[in-house]
Structure formats: structure tokens, C-alpha cells
Amino acid sequence: MFEGNQQEQPTFLGLHSRDNASVILHVSSGIRQALGFAPSELVNKYSPGFIADDYDPEDYTRLVSTKSDQSEETEEAIDQEADAFVTYMNLNTASGTPVLARITSITCDGIVVIVGTAFPEVPFKSQAALNARPLDSKVRQLELEQQRRAAEQIRTRRRRALQNRGRSMYRTRSRLAKAVMLLENPDAASVETAETGRRPSGSLIVFCTGSISKLIEADNSDLHNYSFLKLVAPEDVLHVSRFFERMSDSPEIVFETFRLLQRPHVIEGDIFVSDEENPRVVVEALGAAVNDGVALLLRMLRIEPAPKKDTMGNYIRPSIRECDDAAAMSLAELVSSDPETTQVPESWSQLR
């Protein structure tokens, strides 16, 4: 029923608050073609109020909201939670005729990123319940297992230190840091594919969560309208450009792993750290592209030193899959991509 390239369907990006208010904070221009509204008409509105189905619109709010009232986790831990859900819902339009939409909701740091694709050719049929398929529900299980392994390693080191009667410093492995970004839609034609010694500008950052400072040494306010590719380690720029191309060619969630510079030169006049001395932050990205933008969920895996150069002065790019944690699994291994779109899978959980 939903066959065809995503780019042939009306698409849009949005942001709303991750609380009971669910206030719309940003909507891309694609919303005009998808629902007929101007972006300014939707900002500061209650996002579930646009759901046209028969179930309680607050079901969606409960799905994506923080769980601070039901969890003993600290506020910092809650901010670092990140989930991705795929839902199908009918949305109200400016004309008054509901339109079926596939909504991918990515939650992080107190906000929800919406990646929407509308199917105006599908006849309206109201749904009695919200169907939601989690994309990364197993990530928390992975993180808990990694924390248990880290704690066991610390206990082992302490026992050895006591046996050696020496003093040691220990650092617990913190919860995996995550951040969300919205980018302009990348123009593949503007990306340099040859080694020219210059870093291409690429897509500008439209929005970034404050938790980016837990991944790299940069503030989200300074990254607004900053080139995303300038954050990428030089040996991975072409790799990331191809990742953007794959997103543009696919209606599905796309995964990739690459390196960011830990200390990017964002503000003119700040201390400059050369690429050769700049540590690399290895991140795994969950990305989705629409006609007028890209949404990225970045998860930090580890920090590693800058790679060596060959005799020609080019970086020797090590295998991105090399990892000091042999038991770790990638997001791509943990989750499947967008479900079959010919029908709603029976395995989806139903929220009443």
C-alpha cells in the first residue's frame, strides 16, 4: 500500500517538548505539502492535538514522555535515555481531511524529534489504538550489561591494588552519552569526494540537544548554523558523506559508525587543536532523512587517539568496527529498520 520512494511522498521534520505539554518547538517547511499548514501555525501548539484517530491523544504523550514520576533514575540518567519509535497515525490537515502518516519519534535530552512521511493517497480509516514499534528498546539492556561488566572490572582492579598495597585511581564507566541533531538536507553534489586538503562545508546544524557537550567539547548554542562535517574527523568525512547519501536514498532508519573530533574549532579565537593532536570520539549514528532535513541520534562508543599518517601524509583509517569491548553490539545489530509498510505488524505493542 505504501510502495514507492520516500522522496515522492510529502515529508517533514519536527520538534516538540518531551513532557505532558508536548509543545511544538520547530517544524520544517515540508509540513506545508504534508498537512497544508505553515510552520508558524503549528509552533507552540499541543502536538497530540493534531492526531485524528479515535484513541486518547495522550497515549502518544505517555509513549514518548520522560518517566521521572515512575522511575528511581536520576535526572541526568533520564536525560540520557534515548528511544526511537515508529508509529502510524492519522493527522489533521489544514483542509480538514485527515492524512495517514508514518511518524518516527526519536527522544533525547527532554525533546522529541519527529520524522514524518505522509500518505495522502490512502483513504482515511480511524484507528482505535496507538500502535508503536520501538526501534532501540534493547539499547538499555546493552548499557546495563556494559555497566555490570565495568563494575566487575573495577572490583577486580581494587582487589589487585589491595594485594599490591598500592594506590590506584578508578573511574566508573558512565551511561553512554547521546545527543540529537537536526541538519539541513545534505546536497551530495556539494561534497568533495577527492582528497584536496580542504574540509567540505556540507549541511548546517539547525538544532542540537545540550547533551552534545557530553560527546565533544562544544556547546549546542555555538553549533547552530555550523557545518556538521567540520565536526567529523578528516579521515571519516567521505565515509559520512556516503552515509548521508544512503539516508537520502532510503525511507528507512539508517545506521553508521564514524569519528568526531573531540575538540572541534567552533569559535574563532579559541585554542586551536590540530587534527593530528585531536582525540577522536567514535559515535554510532541512527539517521533519517526527509526532503528538507536530516535527524541524527548520536551515541558515543569510546574515545581514541588520532590515527597515524602514511608516507603520503594521508590518515591511515583504522577499521571502525575495532572495539575494546568485544561483547558490545551495534544499534544496527540490535534493531531492525522500518517495518513492512504494507500493513501494521501484529507484533507491535498496543497502548490503550
Side-chain angles (χ1 to χ4, degrees):
M1 181 168 56
F2 305 133
E3 295 179 357
N5 191 305
Q6 170 191 273
Q7 305 306 328
E8 298 174 358
Q9 303 293 147
T11 58
F12 61 93
L13 289 176
L15 290 173
H16 69 74
S17 61
R18 192 184 175 196
D19 53 22
N20 291 334
S22 293
V23 175
I24 298 174
L25 306 174
H26 168 81
V27 185
S28 70
S29 59
I31 199 69
R32 291 180 180 272
Q33 185 180 4
L35 301 183
F37 294 106
S40 58
E41 295 181 85
L42 303 183
V43 174
N44 294 325
K45 298 293 180 62
Y46 176 58
S47 57
F50 291 89
I51 298 176
D53 291 308
D54 289 337
Y55 56 80
D56 185 351
E58 292 189 5
D59 283 352
Y60 172 76
T61 305
R62 287 187 283 269
L63 173 69
V64 300
S65 67
T66 57
K67 305 173 180 61
S68 56
D69 57 339
Q70 302 173 3
S71 173
E72 297 179 357
E73 293 181 295
T74 64
E75 182 177 351
E76 180 180 0
I78 291 170
D79 284 344
Q80 288 302 301
E81 286 182 354
D83 296 297
F85 304 92
V86 173
T87 62
Y88 283 85
M89 59 180 66
N90 290 287
L91 300 178
N92 292 315
T93 66
S95 67
T97 303
V99 168
L100 181 67
R102 179 177 65 228
I103 301 295
T104 301
S105 305
I106 304 172
T107 69
C108 181
D109 210 29
I111 61 97
V112 181
V113 177
I114 298 298
V115 182
T117 301
F119 301 93
E121 70 279 12
V122 177
F124 170 63
K125 182 179 180 181
S126 181
Q127 301 180 84
L130 172 63
N131 296 287
R133 178 180 181 272
L135 286 180
D136 65 347
S137 59
K138 294 184 180 179
V139 172
R140 288 200 192 98
Q141 298 175 19
L142 168 65
E143 292 174 350
L144 290 173
E145 181 60 30
Q146 290 175 330
Q147 290 173 26
R148 282 193 288 269
R149 287 197 298 270
E152 180 57 35
Q153 291 174 359
I154 291 172
R155 287 192 291 269
T156 301
R157 291 172 185 169
R158 284 177 177 162
R159 286 195 297 267
R160 291 175 179 172
L162 290 174
Q163 291 171 0
N164 297 330
R165 296 184 179 182
R167 295 184 61 187
S168 301
M169 294 182 65
Y170 305 97
R171 184 179 65 178
T172 59
R173 183 170 182 175
S174 61
R175 197 177 177 90
L176 296 178
K178 303 181 182 73
V180 162
M181 287 185 176
L182 291 186
L183 313 179
E184 293 178 329
N185 194 33
D187 181 2
S190 67
V191 175
E192 299 179 37
T193 57
E195 292 292 340
T196 63
R198 301 192 306 272
R199 188 164 299 155
S201 56
S203 300
L204 300 183
I205 299 170
V206 178
F207 171 84
C208 183
T209 58
S211 54
I212 189 64
S213 61
K214 299 180 185 297
L215 281 73
I216 60 176
E217 295 183 11
D219 187 83
N220 65 329
S221 59
D222 296 326
L223 294 177
H224 183 66
N225 286 332
Y226 188 79
S227 168
F228 177 75
L229 286 181
K230 290 184 178 180
L231 302 179
V232 177
E235 66 272 16
D236 277 357
V237 168
L238 182 56
H239 181 68
V240 172
S241 299
R242 290 170 176 164
F243 169 50
F244 284 160
E245 290 175 2
R246 287 197 294 122
M247 277 194 289
S248 297
D249 293 340
S250 173
E252 303 178 346
I253 295 291
V254 180
F255 299 90
E256 192 52 84
T257 307
F258 51 86
R259 301 171 184 85
L260 301 177
L261 296 173
Q262 186 183 40
R263 300 169 185 170
H265 192 233
V266 178
I267 302 177
E268 197 67 33
D270 275 4
I271 297 175
F272 176 77
V273 180
S274 66
D275 291 343
E276 293 80 2
E277 299 177 351
N278 213 327
R280 276 33 172 182
V281 179
V282 182
V283 298
E284 188 168 27
L286 177 157
V290 298
N291 296 335
D292 58 356
V294 171
L296 293 176
L297 169 61
L298 304 175
R299 180 176 70 127
M300 185 174 74
L301 298 181
R302 62 189 182 276
I303 298 176
E304 60 187 27
K308 297 179 180 180
K309 290 187 174 182
D310 59 21
T311 56
M312 301 296 293
N314 298 319
Y315 284 105
I316 302 173
R317 185 174 181 269
S319 171
I320 201 70
R321 291 300 178 186
E322 291 177 0
C323 182
D324 55 3
D325 189 351
M329 295 176 63
S330 70
L331 281 174
E333 292 169 327
L334 281 170
V335 305
S336 59
S337 190
D338 198 28
E340 280 293 326
T341 55
T342 52
Q343 59 183 357
V344 176
E346 295 180 356
S347 59
W348 288 17
S349 59
Q350 290 194 340
L351 302 182
R352 300 292 181 180

